[in-house]
Amino acid sequence: MTDKRTIDAYTTRVADYLQVPLPPEQIEARRAFTEAVGSGHILDLGAGPGSDSGFFMREGLTVRALDATPAFVEHARENGVDAYLGTFDDVTEEAEYDGIYCSFSLLHAPRADFPRHLAAIHRALKPEGVFFLGLKLGTGEHRDDLDRYYTYFSQTEIEEALDQAGFTIDRITTGMGTGLAGSYDGFILVLAHA
């Protein structure tokens, strides 16, 4: 994610972001990802201020966090997270991770880049590595009320893209929730493996 307007929107709202409650479906999906990985090394891709990374660390996982917003990386580091400034294009490892957690971050990438990013994530996972993907459901690409860039997908588009990237889908959960901008949106949570 390299969209400056999106990064700026997050930079000025770190404290607000930390106050947004996770929907119950996402809390359960995070737990399911943790259990599916079991132990090992994970990448929290688009980690934000590191809240999920902190949860995974408390559960005994070794976490590397990556985010494009400097203020988020700084906050995560201040809270003991191994966090780095970077974009989706910085996922260049091969068979490195037991799991990759991508919670509502890949939706900031342009639609045209989605297959390329999924392929890089697949390469970065060890065989049978676990992948969690959270996205908003919808159509098109546009900016929200906070000027963040979003790409929306249908469930069918997501399933097809994951299949083409070589993933096997284990579970799909859908729901509705309110995010940082205050809008009430449909979302999808996918647990898959390489």
Side-chain angles (χ1 to χ4, degrees):
M1 196 263 293
T2 55
D3 183 73
K4 184 181 183 321
R5 289 156 66 185
T6 301
I7 292 169
D8 288 347
Y10 283 126
T11 297
T12 59
R13 294 177 178 86
V14 175
D16 295 338
Y17 187 91
L18 289 164
Q19 299 303 315
V20 176
L22 291 178
E25 298 92 342
Q26 195 173 345
I27 293 170
E28 205 286 315
R30 183 174 68 178
R31 165 72 53 204
F33 170 82
T34 307
E35 290 173 359
V37 172
S39 64
H41 187 214
I42 68 164
L43 173 65
D44 188 354
L45 182 56
S51 302
D52 290 322
S53 293
F55 171 82
F56 297 133
M57 289 164 57
R58 289 189 296 276
E59 294 294 309
L61 295 171
T62 303
V63 181
R64 181 176 198 264
L66 193 68
D67 200 274
T69 302
F72 277 168
V73 172
E74 183 180 332
H75 185 275
R77 285 181 179 163
E78 287 171 358
N79 288 279
V81 176
D82 185 27
Y84 298 88
L85 187 65
T87 69
F88 302 121
D89 287 318
D90 292 314
V91 180
T92 57
E93 301 90 340
E94 291 191 24
E96 175 79 18
Y97 299 106
D98 298 290
I100 295 179
Y101 190 79
C102 196
S103 183
F104 297 92
S105 54
L106 208 46
L107 43 65
H108 293 309
R111 180 177 304 277
D113 294 342
F114 192 57
R116 179 169 58 83
H117 293 320
L118 288 178
I121 289 166
H122 192 276
R123 275 193 306 276
L125 282 166
K126 294 176 182 175
E128 303 296 312
V130 181
F131 179 45
F132 170 81
L133 178 65
L135 295 170
K136 290 188 179 185
L137 291 168
T139 57
E141 300 173 59
H142 60 84
R143 293 190 180 274
D144 70 0
D145 291 343
L146 301 180
D147 206 24
R148 294 177 298 173
Y149 174 89
Y150 276 94
T151 301
Y152 296 88
F153 296 92
S154 70
Q155 181 171 332
T156 302
E157 287 175 315
I158 294 165
E159 290 174 359
E160 289 174 354
L162 287 167
D163 182 61
Q164 288 170 2
F167 287 100
T168 300
I169 295 173
D170 298 307
R171 191 175 87 184
I172 291 178
T173 305
T174 57
M176 297 286 291
T178 304
L180 185 62
S183 58
Y184 193 63
D185 300 306
F187 61 78
I188 184 167
L189 310 173
V190 183
L191 198 61
H193 66 272

